[in-house]
Amino acid sequence: MGKNLAEKILQRYCSEEIKKPGQIVPCRVSLVLANDITAPLAIDSFRKMGATKVFDTAKIALVCDHFTPNKDIASAEQVKKVRLFAREMGIVHYFEGGNSGVEHALLPELGLVGPGDVVIGADSHTCTYGGLGAFATGMGSTDIAAAMALGETWFKVPETIRVNIHGDLGRYTTAKDLILNLIGRIKVDGALYKAIEFSGPILERLDTEARMTMANMAIEAGGKAGLFPSDQITVEYCREHGRKEADLLKSDDDAAYALNLDMDVSGMAPQVACPHLPDNVHSVEDLEEIRVDQVVLGSCTNGRISDLREAAQIIRNNKVDQNVRFIVIPATPGIYSQALEEGLLEIFMRAGAVIGPPTCGPCLGGHMGILAAGEKCLATTNRNFKGRMGSLESEVYLGSPYVAAATAVAGRIIHPERL
Amino acid sequence: MHFQGKANKVGDHIDTDAIIPARCLVTTDPFELGQNCMAGLETDWIKRVSPGDLMVAGKNFGCGSSREHAPIAILGAGIPAVIAHSFARIFYRNGFNMGLVLLELGEKVEQISDGDRLEVKALEGEIFNHSTGATIHSLPVPEFMAEILARGGLINYVREKVG
Ligand code: SF4
């Protein structure tokens, strides 16, 4: 019996033979990640474990991105703790201030993750790197502390759902719409404990950034990982981002899957997830008139340069509705300067947007765009749980950069075509 | 691994933002986190809990972020175990790592109502409902997880390896 993608990648880092899903196996890791919220707990656990040094100073990434630039004294103390630990341990990949950005946009951009890697992070959206063909998954701080000390962890080999995606993409239909549609179908626990492997002819139409957008939201269906095979598109991305080696990886023809899903995306309109779960997904055309107070373009889902470009296409020569706060947050300093160079930031500013520094910011209700009771926001982020962006009585809708930009202009959720 | 307490029921898909909202994540102190346990579900939820109470939840409990603050907040609120239809994956790992007992019941979770008095034998996976007189069996705790629990969590488990 052949191996699917998850099994293949895990096998590269595991000395035991991987035979079937459900097997619990020890596994080495290529990179261990934590952020300013989860690293402080990991550091506590690391010390309590009696560890005095990390397994490899170049295989740990500590990214201060959630409440940064530090929003208050408590968050400043947390970052300080992470900084001091990074110095003490000699950790090479420590990010804060001008070199920091949203972790899952930052690490691929710097070539720190690539196909065939096994990456674990104390952040649920670590699964983003599946867009590059890495087996990447989120864990808690103490699991991460153990891996920082030992360079290994354990996995239950997941079952895999394979999604075969085909058809023609509409003018304004993007990777975000595909993943929202999938979550709407299989629901927030549809991939619980499982990996999702994306396949089919549509892959040729998706660049690496688009693939990362989709892998990013695997967790919103409960998934352990969202995986893309690595192909020429991946190899090209890696080369451009300073990574010399990039293996081509795909599942074996006779690999086993828990479920095979078929998705024909022809004629699919942009999708929107309505409050308060990411699986409450509707076609934008079916939504009644919904006025919004705020639009957020950013995050590890859709804060990359391609997302900014798409939004700018819509914003160009338009004005943001006077009742809307349009907040644009390039996910990393690299994306920020690229957007500056291409004139995108000027387009946003002239239209009346607010541009924030690279941070998670409002995505998790941290800062820089918190909602009051009764307010509604359309965001390109990945979660719309109750209270996620502020008041328990506020509402978050999730959509693509095209829909976000069109909504900012119209003041209500709208199909970009109808602007 | 033997608990007795009142069942506090919550619904399906209780996410980590409901268990402990992001604005409360500027600390790692269990007591402080415990004071805000379930603050994203309902203001002052914690007021209805007495130490030793158990939480009983629906499907996919703990979905969302990887924040370990979630099981810590539950433990900090004085709740030693969560019984649910099912758990989200990261939360499941985190719970055991922190020494929070998690029991999965599937549909049988319906046999427990809010306020029922429960007696739980965690490692045996046995729950006695004093309010109804019924005994309910949970899915077995995976051997590896039981081993971590027996050592009081992952920290002690790794300490033996590091030392
Ligand atoms: S951008 Fe949002 S989802 Fe992504 S890592 Fe930051 S808080 Fe999490």
Side-chain angles (χ1 to χ4, degrees):
Chain A
M1 179 66 82
K3 286 189 166 60
N4 60 37
L5 210 44
E7 294 164 344
K8 247 189 181 170
I9 301 170
L10 287 176
Q11 188 67 79
R12 291 160 64 113
Y13 283 82
C14 173
S15 50
E16 264 177 44
E17 200 201 331
I18 291 180
K19 298 197 191 90
K20 59 174 193 313
Q23 192 182 344
I24 289 183
V25 293
C27 195
R28 286 173 295 114
V29 293
S30 28
L31 190 75
V32 183
L33 160 77
N35 59 46
D36 52 329
I37 291 182
T38 56
L41 270 176
I43 294 166
D44 290 348
S45 294
F46 185 85
R47 305 241 192 250
K48 285 187 209 149
M49 284 164 180
T52 50
K53 58 181 195 333
V54 298
F55 81 105
D56 188 332
T57 54
K59 290 187 177 167
I60 291 169
L62 298 175
V63 187
C64 297
D65 58 352
H66 277 61
F67 293 153
T68 55
N70 303 329
K71 73 173 176 117
D72 54 18
I73 296 170
S75 59
E77 293 293 342
Q78 297 212 119
V79 168
K80 181 174 157 196
K81 180 168 178 172
V82 182
R83 183 190 314 127
L84 293 179
F85 178 78
R87 277 194 200 144
E88 179 191 338
M89 295 291 152
I91 285 169
V92 180
H93 305 298
Y94 172 72
F95 303 95
E96 183 195 346
N99 72 0
S100 192
V102 177
E103 48 198 330
H104 311 306
L106 188 67
L107 302 188
E109 181 182 291
L110 298 176
L112 291 175
V113 289
D117 283 0
V118 171
V119 183
I120 61 172
D123 189 276
S124 59
H125 292 103
T126 302
C127 54
T128 309
Y129 318 130
L132 278 161
F135 185 93
T137 193
M139 291 184 185
S141 294
T142 300
D143 268 318
I144 290 308
M148 289 199 303
L150 304 171
E152 66 167 47
T153 187
W154 62 269
F155 288 112
K156 183 161 142 188
V157 178
E159 290 184 314
T160 296
I161 297 176
R162 180 167 55 180
V163 192
N164 176 41
I165 313 177
H166 54 92
D168 294 319
L169 282 178
R171 164 72 180 88
Y172 292 113
T173 305
T174 65
K176 181 63 165 288
D177 305 299
L178 302 185
I179 189 66
L180 285 175
N181 184 272
L182 177 66
I183 296 165
R185 287 180 196 214
I186 67 174
K187 299 295 165 192
V188 286
D189 54 357
L192 200 56
Y193 301 118
K194 299 186 177 73
I196 301 174
E197 186 178 315
F198 298 98
S199 66
I202 208 79
L203 265 50
E204 288 164 28
R205 307 267 318 269
L206 301 174
D207 64 17
T208 300
E209 296 196 355
R211 294 173 184 188
M212 289 198 277
T213 295
M214 293 179 70
N216 173 271
M217 289 192 73
I219 179 72
E220 263 58 69
K224 180 169 190 159
L227 292 164
F228 281 83
S230 55
D231 54 15
Q232 278 312 322
I233 295 175
T234 323
V235 171
E236 182 64 15
Y237 179 93
C238 290
R239 207 184 45 77
E240 282 170 13
H241 293 85
R243 204 181 159 93
K244 286 181 207 80
E245 283 154 46
D247 295 343
L248 296 172
L249 286 166
K250 62 183 181 64
S251 51
D252 294 330
D253 292 336
D254 57 345
Y257 294 92
L259 183 68
N260 278 289
L261 275 178
D262 193 76
M263 243 172 101
D264 182 355
V265 298
S266 300
M268 185 192 289
Q271 308 280 300
V272 173
C274 297
H276 288 289
L277 281 177
D279 65 5
N280 186 12
V281 176
H282 301 268
S283 175
V284 69
E285 296 159 329
D286 299 341
L287 295 176
E288 304 279 322
E289 169 124 334
I290 297 168
R291 302 217 135 259
V292 301
D293 306 279
Q294 177 166 305
V295 171
V296 173
L297 172 65
S299 87
C300 58
T301 319
N302 284 120
R304 299 187 183 81
I305 191 69
S306 52
D307 303 310
L308 268 52
R309 285 181 189 139
E310 286 173 3
Q313 281 175 29
I314 306 262
I315 293 289
R316 196 187 306 266
N317 304 324
N318 272 312
K319 283 266 177 244
V320 172
D321 182 90
Q322 57 175 0
N323 296 316
V324 173
R325 307 177 295 269
F326 182 31
I327 302 171
V328 178
I329 304 182
T332 68
I335 296 165
Y336 199 113
S337 51
Q338 178 73 23
L340 194 63
E341 216 165 278
E342 293 181 20
L344 308 180
L345 298 188
E346 196 180 344
I347 292 173
F348 292 129
M349 291 210 65
R350 279 186 194 279
V354 184
I355 300 181
T359 176
C360 294
C363 173
L364 80 161
H367 58 156
M368 291 202 265
I370 305 303
L371 301 174
E375 289 193 325
K376 292 183 169 66
C377 174
L378 184 292
T380 64
T381 57
N382 47 41
R383 288 195 174 133
N384 56 352
F385 300 148
K386 205 169 167 226
R388 171 80 176 175
M389 206 176 272
S391 164
L392 279 178
E393 274 96 57
S394 61
E395 292 186 346
V396 179
Y397 295 77
L398 307 175
S400 72
Y402 282 134
V403 171
T407 299
V409 172
R412 59 194 166 86
I413 299 176
I414 190 175
H415 193 310
E417 225 168 60
R418 294 188 34 229
L419 206 60
Chain B
M1 294 285 140
H2 194 165
F3 311 105
Q4 270 198 33
K6 177 172 71 101
N8 289 282
K9 265 200 120 166
V10 293
D12 289 338
H13 308 301
I14 297 291
D15 59 79
T16 48
D17 283 277
I19 300 171
I20 185 83
R23 68 187 139 79
C24 307
L25 301 184
V26 288
T27 176
T28 55
D29 178 63
F31 180 78
E32 226 177 288
L33 290 169
Q35 288 303 303
N36 290 303
C37 181
M38 293 296 186
L41 184 69
E42 189 186 305
T43 317
D44 288 336
W45 184 87
I46 184 73
K47 288 202 173 136
R48 57 164 95 164
V49 176
S50 325
D53 274 8
L54 304 164
M55 179 129 59
V56 179
K59 287 182 190 157
N60 200 23
F61 183 81
C63 60
S65 93
S66 68
R67 61 188 71 152
E68 213 164 75
H69 311 68
I72 295 176
I74 295 172
L75 284 166
I79 298 170
V82 183
I83 299 161
H85 179 289
S86 55
F87 293 95
R89 186 193 69 83
I90 303 177
F91 183 87
Y92 191 71
R93 253 183 115 116
N94 285 349
F96 282 95
N97 287 347
M98 294 294 98
L100 177 68
V101 172
L102 305 177
L103 294 174
E104 223 175 308
L105 290 190
E107 299 299 331
K108 285 185 282 187
V109 77
E110 295 305 327
Q111 297 176 28
I112 304 174
S113 308
D114 193 44
D116 282 359
R117 299 225 56 95
L118 306 179
E119 192 173 338
V120 176
K121 289 186 192 157
L123 292 178
E124 294 82 351
E126 206 179 279
I127 300 163
F128 182 65
N129 188 338
H130 282 280
S131 305
T132 64
T135 303
I136 313 164
H137 292 277
S138 75
L139 299 179
V141 172
E143 210 176 302
F144 189 76
M145 304 307 231
E147 213 177 301
I148 291 177
L149 264 190
R151 286 182 167 83
L154 184 67
I155 289 178
N156 294 340
Y157 184 86
V158 176
R159 203 197 340 245
E160 289 173 25
K161 279 199 159 190
V162 170

PDB file of all heavy atoms in Angstrom, chain A residues 65-66 102-104 123 125 299-300 360 363-364 382 388, ligand 1:
ATOM      1  N   ASP A  65       4.433  38.823  17.331  1.00  0.00           N
ATOM      2  CA  ASP A  65       3.557  39.394  16.303  1.00  0.00           C
ATOM      3  C   ASP A  65       2.121  39.657  16.770  1.00  0.00           C
ATOM      4  O   ASP A  65       1.402  40.412  16.146  1.00  0.00           O
ATOM      5  CB  ASP A  65       3.504  38.468  15.069  1.00  0.00           C
ATOM      6  CG  ASP A  65       3.021  37.057  15.395  1.00  0.00           C
ATOM      7  OD1 ASP A  65       2.864  36.733  16.586  1.00  0.00           O
ATOM      8  OD2 ASP A  65       2.811  36.265  14.459  1.00  0.00           O
ATOM      9  N   HIS A  66       1.718  39.071  17.877  1.00  0.00           N
ATOM     10  CA  HIS A  66       0.289  39.149  18.206  1.00  0.00           C
ATOM     11  C   HIS A  66      -0.126  40.484  18.818  1.00  0.00           C
ATOM     12  O   HIS A  66      -1.062  41.114  18.342  1.00  0.00           O
ATOM     13  CB  HIS A  66      -0.110  37.990  19.124  1.00  0.00           C
ATOM     14  CG  HIS A  66      -0.409  36.727  18.361  1.00  0.00           C
ATOM     15  ND1 HIS A  66       0.533  36.094  17.579  1.00  0.00           N
ATOM     16  CD2 HIS A  66      -1.541  36.001  18.239  1.00  0.00           C
ATOM     17  CE1 HIS A  66      -0.021  35.026  17.016  1.00  0.00           C
ATOM     18  NE2 HIS A  66      -1.281  34.952  17.398  1.00  0.00           N
ATOM     19  N   VAL A 102       3.584  38.914  10.800  1.00  0.00           N
ATOM     20  CA  VAL A 102       2.729  37.776  11.153  1.00  0.00           C
ATOM     21  C   VAL A 102       3.487  36.482  10.825  1.00  0.00           C
ATOM     22  O   VAL A 102       3.884  36.243   9.675  1.00  0.00           O
ATOM     23  CB  VAL A 102       1.391  37.846  10.400  1.00  0.00           C
ATOM     24  CG1 VAL A 102       0.545  36.623  10.710  1.00  0.00           C
ATOM     25  CG2 VAL A 102       0.647  39.123  10.762  1.00  0.00           C
ATOM     26  N   GLU A 103       3.677  35.673  11.839  1.00  0.00           N
ATOM     27  CA  GLU A 103       4.568  34.513  11.755  1.00  0.00           C
ATOM     28  C   GLU A 103       4.397  33.659  10.494  1.00  0.00           C
ATOM     29  O   GLU A 103       5.376  33.296   9.848  1.00  0.00           O
ATOM     30  CB  GLU A 103       4.385  33.646  13.010  1.00  0.00           C
ATOM     31  CG  GLU A 103       2.905  33.383  13.317  1.00  0.00           C
ATOM     32  CD  GLU A 103       2.641  32.912  14.755  1.00  0.00           C
ATOM     33  OE1 GLU A 103       3.513  32.270  15.346  1.00  0.00           O
ATOM     34  OE2 GLU A 103       1.544  33.167  15.277  1.00  0.00           O
ATOM     35  N   HIS A 104       3.134  33.353  10.146  1.00  0.00           N
ATOM     36  CA  HIS A 104       2.933  32.403   9.045  1.00  0.00           C
ATOM     37  C   HIS A 104       3.114  33.041   7.674  1.00  0.00           C
ATOM     38  O   HIS A 104       3.137  32.348   6.660  1.00  0.00           O
ATOM     39  CB  HIS A 104       1.566  31.738   9.164  1.00  0.00           C
ATOM     40  CG  HIS A 104       1.314  31.216  10.539  1.00  0.00           C
ATOM     41  ND1 HIS A 104       2.194  30.358  11.159  1.00  0.00           N
ATOM     42  CD2 HIS A 104       0.327  31.463  11.438  1.00  0.00           C
ATOM     43  CE1 HIS A 104       1.742  30.091  12.382  1.00  0.00           C
ATOM     44  NE2 HIS A 104       0.621  30.750  12.567  1.00  0.00           N
ATOM     45  N   ASP A 123       0.907  27.638  17.646  1.00  0.00           N
ATOM     46  CA  ASP A 123      -0.089  28.500  17.041  1.00  0.00           C
ATOM     47  C   ASP A 123      -0.887  27.626  16.082  1.00  0.00           C
ATOM     48  O   ASP A 123      -0.299  26.896  15.282  1.00  0.00           O
ATOM     49  CB  ASP A 123       0.552  29.653  16.276  1.00  0.00           C
ATOM     50  CG  ASP A 123      -0.506  30.645  15.852  1.00  0.00           C
ATOM     51  OD1 ASP A 123      -1.152  30.428  14.802  1.00  0.00           O
ATOM     52  OD2 ASP A 123      -0.732  31.622  16.582  1.00  0.00           O
ATOM     53  N   HIS A 125      -2.500  28.125  13.439  1.00  0.00           N
ATOM     54  CA  HIS A 125      -2.376  28.316  11.991  1.00  0.00           C
ATOM     55  C   HIS A 125      -1.014  27.940  11.427  1.00  0.00           C
ATOM     56  O   HIS A 125      -0.670  28.282  10.286  1.00  0.00           O
ATOM     57  CB  HIS A 125      -2.791  29.735  11.602  1.00  0.00           C
ATOM     58  CG  HIS A 125      -4.265  29.936  11.809  1.00  0.00           C
ATOM     59  ND1 HIS A 125      -4.756  30.632  12.891  1.00  0.00           N
ATOM     60  CD2 HIS A 125      -5.324  29.471  11.127  1.00  0.00           C
ATOM     61  CE1 HIS A 125      -6.088  30.607  12.844  1.00  0.00           C
ATOM     62  NE2 HIS A 125      -6.457  29.903  11.792  1.00  0.00           N
ATOM     63  N   SER A 299      -3.692  39.682   7.989  1.00  0.00           N
ATOM     64  CA  SER A 299      -3.588  38.378   8.680  1.00  0.00           C
ATOM     65  C   SER A 299      -2.783  37.339   7.916  1.00  0.00           C
ATOM     66  O   SER A 299      -2.411  37.532   6.761  1.00  0.00           O
ATOM     67  CB  SER A 299      -4.970  37.796   9.009  1.00  0.00           C
ATOM     68  OG  SER A 299      -5.474  37.042   7.922  1.00  0.00           O
ATOM     69  N   CYS A 300      -2.584  36.201   8.591  1.00  0.00           N
ATOM     70  CA  CYS A 300      -1.823  35.107   7.988  1.00  0.00           C
ATOM     71  C   CYS A 300      -2.606  34.424   6.879  1.00  0.00           C
ATOM     72  O   CYS A 300      -2.060  33.633   6.127  1.00  0.00           O
ATOM     73  CB  CYS A 300      -1.409  34.098   9.058  1.00  0.00           C
ATOM     74  SG  CYS A 300      -2.783  33.392   9.981  1.00  0.00           S
ATOM     75  N   CYS A 360      -0.617  40.970  14.060  1.00  0.00           N
ATOM     76  CA  CYS A 360      -1.898  40.267  14.027  1.00  0.00           C
ATOM     77  C   CYS A 360      -3.025  41.251  14.327  1.00  0.00           C
ATOM     78  O   CYS A 360      -4.127  41.138  13.800  1.00  0.00           O
ATOM     79  CB  CYS A 360      -1.919  39.154  15.062  1.00  0.00           C
ATOM     80  SG  CYS A 360      -0.765  37.835  14.708  1.00  0.00           S
ATOM     81  N   CYS A 363      -7.094  40.878  14.221  1.00  0.00           N
ATOM     82  CA  CYS A 363      -7.507  39.517  13.856  1.00  0.00           C
ATOM     83  C   CYS A 363      -7.979  38.730  15.061  1.00  0.00           C
ATOM     84  O   CYS A 363      -8.979  38.037  15.016  1.00  0.00           O
ATOM     85  CB  CYS A 363      -6.365  38.784  13.166  1.00  0.00           C
ATOM     86  SG  CYS A 363      -6.732  37.045  12.864  1.00  0.00           S
ATOM     87  N   LEU A 364      -7.248  38.839  16.163  1.00  0.00           N
ATOM     88  CA  LEU A 364      -7.645  38.107  17.371  1.00  0.00           C
ATOM     89  C   LEU A 364      -8.167  39.054  18.436  1.00  0.00           C
ATOM     90  O   LEU A 364      -8.167  38.736  19.622  1.00  0.00           O
ATOM     91  CB  LEU A 364      -6.475  37.275  17.917  1.00  0.00           C
ATOM     92  CG  LEU A 364      -5.401  37.985  18.752  1.00  0.00           C
ATOM     93  CD1 LEU A 364      -4.620  36.989  19.558  1.00  0.00           C
ATOM     94  CD2 LEU A 364      -4.532  38.862  17.922  1.00  0.00           C
ATOM     95  N   ASN A 382      -9.393  34.584   9.424  1.00  0.00           N
ATOM     96  CA  ASN A 382      -9.835  33.194   9.339  1.00  0.00           C
ATOM     97  C   ASN A 382     -10.846  32.759  10.390  1.00  0.00           C
ATOM     98  O   ASN A 382     -11.351  31.647  10.339  1.00  0.00           O
ATOM     99  CB  ASN A 382      -8.603  32.284   9.407  1.00  0.00           C
ATOM    100  CG  ASN A 382      -7.680  32.694  10.535  1.00  0.00           C
ATOM    101  OD1 ASN A 382      -8.122  33.022  11.627  1.00  0.00           O
ATOM    102  ND2 ASN A 382      -6.383  32.711  10.266  1.00  0.00           N
ATOM    103  N   ARG A 388     -14.464  37.501  18.766  1.00  0.00           N
ATOM    104  CA  ARG A 388     -13.094  37.339  18.287  1.00  0.00           C
ATOM    105  C   ARG A 388     -12.391  38.691  18.061  1.00  0.00           C
ATOM    106  O   ARG A 388     -11.213  38.845  18.290  1.00  0.00           O
ATOM    107  CB  ARG A 388     -13.111  36.528  16.974  1.00  0.00           C
ATOM    108  CG  ARG A 388     -11.787  36.455  16.222  1.00  0.00           C
ATOM    109  CD  ARG A 388     -10.857  35.423  16.807  1.00  0.00           C
ATOM    110  NE  ARG A 388      -9.638  35.308  16.026  1.00  0.00           N
ATOM    111  CZ  ARG A 388      -8.603  34.544  16.354  1.00  0.00           C
ATOM    112  NH1 ARG A 388      -8.629  33.820  17.444  1.00  0.00           N
ATOM    113  NH2 ARG A 388      -7.535  34.494  15.603  1.00  0.00           N
TER     114      ARG A 388
HETATM  115  S1  SF4 C   1      -3.007  36.736  11.919  1.00  0.00           S
HETATM  116 FE1  SF4 C   1      -4.675  36.033  13.226  1.00  0.00          FE
HETATM  117  S2  SF4 C   1      -4.886  33.871  12.845  1.00  0.00           S
HETATM  118 FE2  SF4 C   1      -2.918  34.524  11.988  1.00  0.00          FE
HETATM  119  S3  SF4 C   1      -1.421  34.093  13.586  1.00  0.00           S
HETATM  120 FE3  SF4 C   1      -2.108  36.204  13.879  1.00  0.00          FE
HETATM  121  S4  SF4 C   1      -3.844  36.084  15.300  1.00  0.00           S
HETATM  122 FE4  SF4 C   1      -3.472  34.038  14.529  1.00  0.00          FE
END
